[in-house]
Amino acid sequence: MTSVRDLELIEKARNGDKAAFEEIFNAYSGQVLNFLYRYMGDYQKAEDVMVEAFLDVYRRLPSYKEQGSFLSWVYTIALNYARSSFRRLWRREIPSSGSLGDNPTPLDTAQAPDATRPDNIARMNEAEKTVQSCLKKLNEKYRIVIVACDIEGLPYEEAARVLGLSKGVVATRLHRARAIFWELLKKEGLDIER
Amino acid sequence: MGRNLSDKENEQLKRLLSGLQKAVVSKKARQKFTDELYSMNERSPEKKSVPYGIRIPGIILPVPRLALALSGICMIFIISTAAFIGNLPVLENITGTVKVQGIFGSGLVLAKNNQRLWPMSVIKTYDDGKADITSGKKYSMRLRPESEIVLAHLPMPFQGKINYQLNKGNVLAYYAGKKQGHKGEFCIETDDLSATAVGTDFMVKSISPVSGSWVGVLDGVVRVAAARKSNLASAPILVQSREETWAKPGMPPAFPRRMSEDDWLDMSELYAVGIKPQVALLISSGPTRTSELLNLTPLYITDEKDGSLPPALREAAEALNKAAKDDTPSLHQEAIKKVRDIVDKSKDKRYTIHFLLFIGAYQYQLELYQEAINTFLEAAQKYPDSRLASIAWCAIGKIRAEKLGDQQGAWNAYKVILDKYPISPEGALIRDMQKQ
């Protein structure tokens, strides 16, 4: 659900108030970037796509209908940008598995529990790397549902709206995606039970 | 696909993923966003709809929407007609006397190469005649002498059932429709049975009104059922690679059994039909194919059109035939060298893995086990995505286990198959071995 405060900001931005839209950007850009980074596997490209998508959100605000959350609407636009950016890339070159996700990623370590302990940082970085490399190995249709539902925590209905699928398809794909992803993580030797 | 996760595992996975660190927007990106946002012009008003029309610099000549709609319908009609005509099969490689009767019943007339066949066309070959019927890359058939077939049903492109009725004689068929996006079925019927391809090479013979009909499968799987008009309520049977079945008049198809060597080699003509390769290993697609390979299965090299074989291939074929005839070590080595030259020098890499597997099997027969292992390893490592790669690993395992007594080395090779090619016939074979 979009908060009343955000709805006010949206209304102002719709009427051309750029400062209000900047506030919206500050509130949502982190989540959208995280969504794109986990989906695309490349931090730098994800950030470029995120900025491009937000500028487009501003342009499209007059057509925004307050159905579903505002964030889902932004995710939908961002996802379209990400997919067209993939298509542009593929037209130029087929990305090798090593070329995705190699850019250094500024991650918010402060959010993790006991983040200051060196052994935790090392372990988390290792898990991060493994999860990211396994995400990259997942088929696109499975990766996107894992990112939307399990990483971003979208309920099935919202995820279905973002991905343009039915709720049932999202549930089935997520079920399969988790099973495949679990096997990949195990294969990479990640101790998930810890 | 992985197994189903338990509730606990689901929870653990969700906890891991929701606890991942969050990406942080860099200052640079924030700056870029702010700069671009403030440099944007005020939103332009909604674009007004422009009338449909022909654009000439400066003006737009309006065209009524009805005219546009009509021209759209005409375009769709033209495109679908062209697609339907493009979907019609054609006659190729006609030799001897072959006649065709068109849909308008003008009697049988001599067939020509590249002649299109319309639904209900009858194609008849005489004792000296044969012809190929091909439809793009979807399917190819060879109608052998003294045969008669009817194109009973031709669907719209990419869907529906393609149906031929074999009235007499025999026909070799290759169907790749599923790979080519065809969503329907490919079926050949006789008076006694119907054979439906499941991505495959097969042959159907309508032997005689008394003896019934026969189906043999070279590759893939064919579903064989009693003919519809026989009204027999029997379940269809699946005939696998290198198996045969037959149905006598008024009887359901018999349980499939292994085909004789002669029938099997007789069907190898399929490799020359339509777009098939010039070089092929004659192995089945079942779990016995590694053993077939190590027993030195024939390497089928076809030269359908005179002079179409590259010289190196011709020389290799001659050297192999000579070595097989005179059976001396030096001739065998010479033959291997000739085949090896093709692998190393040929620009056409399509059949390289076939050659490498053949060389490995040849070395195995000459009891050069370590060299055979090296060759199979080269094949497996160079072509890991080939559907024949699992055969190479299986052959390595077999040689290590059965000839070198190296059980650990054999298991290492089998493990590669279980990891990388679990759904291959070799994967099934190894799982069976494990159960025993």
Side-chain angles (χ1 to χ4, degrees):
Chain A
M1 284 292 288
T2 314
S3 70
V4 179
R5 165 84 184 133
D6 288 349
L7 285 175
E8 281 172 14
L9 288 172
I10 292 165
E11 195 48 43
K12 283 183 184 173
R14 208 199 288 258
N15 293 325
D17 185 341
K18 289 181 177 173
F21 192 68
E22 222 182 321
E23 271 193 64
I24 293 174
F25 177 82
N26 291 338
Y28 292 110
S29 56
Q31 277 165 282
V32 176
L33 175 62
N34 199 53
F35 173 79
L36 288 170
Y37 165 59
R38 296 296 174 191
Y39 172 62
M40 298 175 74
D42 185 308
Y43 178 77
Q44 200 54 56
K45 287 192 183 92
E47 210 174 44
D48 291 345
V49 168
M50 184 270 292
V51 169
E52 233 179 301
F54 263 97
L55 291 169
D56 198 31
V57 167
Y58 178 72
R59 274 184 226 110
R60 290 170 184 232
L61 266 182
S63 66
Y64 168 61
K65 297 185 184 92
E66 286 151 24
Q67 288 168 347
S69 80
F70 175 69
L71 184 59
S72 305
W73 186 63
V74 180
Y75 278 145
T76 313
I77 294 172
L79 184 61
N80 284 338
Y81 268 85
R83 283 179 173 155
S84 56
S85 122
F86 276 146
R87 280 195 288 273
R88 278 200 301 272
L89 265 180
W90 285 331
R91 251 178 258 141
R92 260 178 278 149
E93 53 172 320
I94 296 165
S96 68
S97 56
S99 71
L100 285 179
D102 291 344
N103 282 336
T105 319
L107 290 172
D108 184 6
T109 47
Q111 285 193 6
D114 297 330
T116 47
R117 283 180 51 187
D119 56 336
N120 270 354
I121 290 174
R123 204 173 64 192
M124 273 165 34
N125 283 344
E126 208 44 52
E128 270 292 333
K129 268 188 203 164
T130 312
V131 168
Q132 199 58 32
S133 86
C134 290
L135 272 177
K136 215 163 60 183
K137 286 178 193 162
L138 266 186
N139 184 309
E140 193 267 348
K141 71 177 181 186
Y142 294 135
R143 183 171 57 217
I144 191 62
V145 285
I146 289 256
V147 171
C149 298
D150 283 350
I151 298 183
E152 292 305 316
L154 293 184
Y156 286 169
E157 210 167 334
E158 292 282 288
R161 196 171 297 138
V162 172
L163 306 181
L165 302 169
S166 73
K167 208 169 136 185
V169 172
V170 170
T172 320
R173 278 200 193 161
L174 184 63
H175 183 72
R176 285 188 195 150
R178 280 181 185 157
I180 297 169
F181 194 54
W182 178 274
E183 293 301 326
L184 284 172
L185 290 171
K186 284 272 175 191
K187 219 171 169 182
E188 291 293 319
L190 187 72
D191 184 6
I192 308 166
E193 282 94 348
R194 184 168 53 197
Chain B
M1 205 195 92
R3 65 188 167 81
N4 287 339
L5 299 186
S6 66
D7 290 347
K8 192 181 161 199
E9 287 169 334
N10 262 322
E11 275 311 307
Q12 284 167 342
L13 188 61
K14 273 162 80 177
R15 203 178 323 126
L16 170 79
L17 293 172
S18 61
L20 288 174
Q21 298 164 49
K22 305 290 178 199
V24 181
V25 181
S26 67
K27 279 184 188 167
K28 202 176 137 194
R30 278 176 199 283
Q31 194 57 49
K32 186 181 169 196
F33 169 75
T34 314
D35 291 348
E36 292 198 20
L37 180 68
Y38 283 96
S39 65
M40 267 166 84
N41 293 329
E42 286 311 309
R43 274 189 219 105
S44 51
E46 295 278 313
K47 282 182 185 170
K48 285 181 186 162
S49 61
V50 179
Y52 292 94
I54 302 166
R55 264 169 206 280
I56 298 173
I59 52 164
I60 296 170
L61 291 179
V63 173
R65 288 184 184 209
L66 181 64
L68 273 178
L70 282 175
S71 55
I73 291 167
C74 285
M75 285 295 285
I76 291 168
F77 177 75
I78 292 166
I79 291 168
S80 50
T81 309
F84 182 74
I85 291 173
N87 188 41
L88 292 174
V90 289
L91 279 174
E92 286 178 350
N93 300 325
I94 296 173
T95 51
T97 314
V98 179
K99 290 187 176 178
V100 176
Q101 182 175 31
I103 37 174
F104 303 112
S106 53
L108 286 165
V109 290
L110 275 178
K112 296 173 202 154
N113 273 321
N114 299 320
Q115 179 172 351
R116 285 199 189 281
L117 298 172
W118 293 83
M120 301 315 292
S121 295
V122 180
I123 307 103
K124 190 172 180 182
T125 55
Y126 291 80
D127 56 355
D128 62 337
K130 63 178 180 177
D132 290 353
I133 302 168
T134 62
S135 175
K137 292 179 180 174
K138 223 182 291 172
Y139 63 88
S140 309
M141 297 196 292
R142 171 157 296 175
L143 198 57
R144 284 183 163 173
E146 292 201 50
S147 303
E148 185 180 300
I149 200 165
V150 182
L151 173 50
H153 182 247
L154 187 70
M156 288 304 285
F158 304 118
Q159 56 186 346
K161 190 173 180 179
I162 301 164
N163 199 347
Y164 283 84
Q165 171 74 38
L166 182 67
N167 292 340
K168 67 167 190 171
N170 62 64
V171 62
L172 291 154
Y174 160 70
Y175 172 65
K178 293 273 187 289
K179 289 180 208 158
Q180 299 297 325
H182 180 240
K183 289 177 185 155
E185 288 185 330
F186 177 78
C187 179
I188 297 178
E189 291 186 8
T190 67
D191 284 345
D192 315 296
L193 53 78
S194 76
T196 305
V198 191
T200 211
D201 294 300
F202 63 104
M203 178 158 118
V204 180
K205 286 184 197 174
S206 177
I207 301 168
S208 73
V210 184
S211 309
S213 303
W214 176 94
V215 175
V217 180
L218 183 65
D219 200 4
V221 182
V222 172
R223 195 173 67 234
V224 180
R228 277 177 297 175
K229 58 188 173 188
S230 68
N231 291 326
L232 285 171
S234 68
I237 54 165
L238 291 178
V239 186
Q240 310 278 345
S241 166
R242 210 165 178 171
E243 287 183 345
E244 64 179 3
T245 185
W246 62 98
K248 291 191 172 172
M251 300 287 285
F255 194 74
R257 70 174 188 192
R258 195 169 168 83
M259 207 188 302
S260 73
E261 195 74 25
D262 287 346
D263 285 336
W264 172 248
L265 287 172
D266 182 41
M267 285 184 70
S268 64
E269 188 183 343
L270 254 169
Y271 285 109
V273 178
I275 50 161
K276 301 312 290 294
Q278 281 189 304
V279 176
L281 278 171
L282 288 186
I283 49 173
S284 67
S285 56
T288 55
R289 60 185 189 167
T290 308
S291 306
E292 290 166 17
L293 172 74
L294 290 178
N295 286 331
L296 206 55
T297 185
L299 183 69
Y300 185 84
I301 300 175
T302 171
D303 188 7
E304 267 293 288
K305 291 171 192 160
D306 286 343
S308 67
L309 276 185
L313 200 54
R314 187 181 300 279
E315 280 175 27
E318 283 165 6
L320 286 168
N321 287 337
K322 198 170 177 207
K325 194 177 158 201
D326 297 348
D327 194 21
T328 66
S330 62
L331 283 175
H332 286 309
Q333 287 298 346
E334 179 63 21
I336 289 178
K337 192 176 166 298
K338 292 272 185 204
V339 183
R340 182 83 226 184
D341 280 351
I342 298 173
V343 175
D344 295 338
K345 293 177 190 166
S346 168
K347 286 177 187 165
D348 188 350
K349 299 290 178 197
R350 279 177 300 171
Y351 313 128
T352 311
I353 188 164
H354 291 252
F355 286 124
L356 282 173
L357 292 181
F358 180 78
I359 294 172
Y362 208 116
Q363 287 164 330
Y364 172 84
Q365 285 294 320
L366 297 175
E367 299 182 0
L368 303 169
Y369 298 127
Q370 195 51 52
E371 287 178 31
I373 287 174
N374 292 343
T375 309
F376 285 128
L377 197 59
E378 184 185 346
Q381 287 175 343
K382 269 191 180 168
Y383 301 95
D385 298 328
S386 164
R387 67 192 177 103
L388 300 176
S390 54
I391 302 182
W393 284 111
C394 192
I396 293 170
K398 272 178 99 69
I399 298 172
R400 286 205 186 280
E402 292 169 11
K403 299 295 177 190
L404 304 178
D406 175 8
Q407 300 303 331
Q408 184 56 46
W411 172 240
N412 289 344
Y414 293 150
K415 200 163 174 307
V416 175
I417 297 172
L418 292 178
D419 288 345
K420 285 190 175 175
Y421 313 102
I423 58 164
S424 64
E426 288 69 36
L429 184 75
I430 292 161
R431 279 193 294 278
D432 283 347
M433 275 161 56
Q434 279 179 316
K435 279 180 203 158
Q436 287 162 13

